[in-house]
Amino acid sequence: MNTIRRHRLLLAGAATIASAVALTSCSSSDGAASSEDGAISGDILFYDTSGGNVWEGLDATLFGDFTEDTGVTVTDDYNEAATKFFAASEAGQVPWSLVFLPTVNDATQAAEDGYLEKIDTSIVPVDKLVEGTYDEYGIEVGTFGMVLTWDDEAYPDEKPSEMADLWDLETFPGKRCFFNNPQYGWTLEAALLADGVAPDELYPLDVDRALAKLDEIKGDITWWTSGAQSIESFENGSCDIGILWANRAFVASSENGFPASISWNEAGYSNSVWAIPADAPNAAAAQELLAHVIENTEGQIAFASKVPTPIPAQVVGLEPSAFPEEVQQFLPIGDNVTNSIKQDVGYYSENIDAVLDQFNRWLGQ
């Protein structure tokens, strides 16, 4: 690729649906699907539920490459959750042409509600994606892994290798770090795996059994409440071993110089989804963007070298060995996830209120 031309419009303050609609209609070309000769143009307003370094990485790689090759800009509209997208879709006022839905369940619900456009497979080469990482309405992206992580210097001899090691206080002494939100922390699953439950029998979760197992080490747990705090807890000595998001462990290792090591064995992982809203103002360009991202192997490697959450989630034939050595162990693809477990987002969708209530009551005891 040549030097990327950066096209980013910074949206001041919290954007409302009305202002976003105005943004997409401020000129005749902004919402253009394509010209008479089929060429795409205008802008893609991106409903972004990740933001931060993910957006910066996309802007510098995959989206920047697309803009350079097509002239179509991608404008970021950060939103913390999918709530605003669903409200706008219900109201029939959708200004976005590409949406980043934080969970597969959100994407499934949006498709069932009629809020998504089908992927045009005559344009988008979904056959280049690993089976099971896409459907007719979207492609999975941004895999986050919930992995066993430890301070490598704390255990110079024997290294942790499975979730049961979190309960082995003699071999691996020190405080344990867990996320205080079980859905995104793999806390209950890790406890069940450590208690002998087979990976294919995790769901539906036996929450009582998981909490009983956690009782064994409750006094040795340091709870983290955000991604930033998770690595801070390791770096300031609050814990020596625990479960972190793989991309946060990468930040600790690559940017902060902390000796973080991880294991994907018995780790959990889950995906987000990119989709095109029904009646998107520039759906034609969004279809081409999806195709461009799938075809752009160089851009995929460049992005994952900045943020090790591959986009797309898994491309056929793209193994960790294709990436820089320092990022390889943190990537949720290929052989890394052979012994990992895909989270059952459907289970959490149906049971999250009850699970959180029971977990939080146990936490407060």
Side-chain angles (χ1 to χ4, degrees), residues 43-114:
D43 179 75
I44 293 172
L45 185 60
F46 178 50
Y47 187 100
D48 178 13
T49 55
S50 189
N53 63 342
V54 174
W55 163 253
E56 291 169 2
L58 287 171
D59 190 38
T61 60
L62 292 166
F63 286 173
D65 292 347
F66 175 73
T67 297
E68 182 177 21
D69 289 347
T70 66
V72 177
T73 55
V74 183
T75 299
D76 189 48
D77 181 15
Y78 174 71
N79 297 273
E80 186 175 0
T83 309
K84 182 177 169 184
F85 167 74
F86 279 96
S89 296
E90 184 177 1
Q93 294 181 307
V94 175
W96 310 283
S97 294
L98 186 68
V99 59
F100 194 149
L101 294 166
T103 70
V104 173
N105 185 66
D106 287 323
T108 300
Q109 187 62 56
E112 290 177 353
D113 291 344

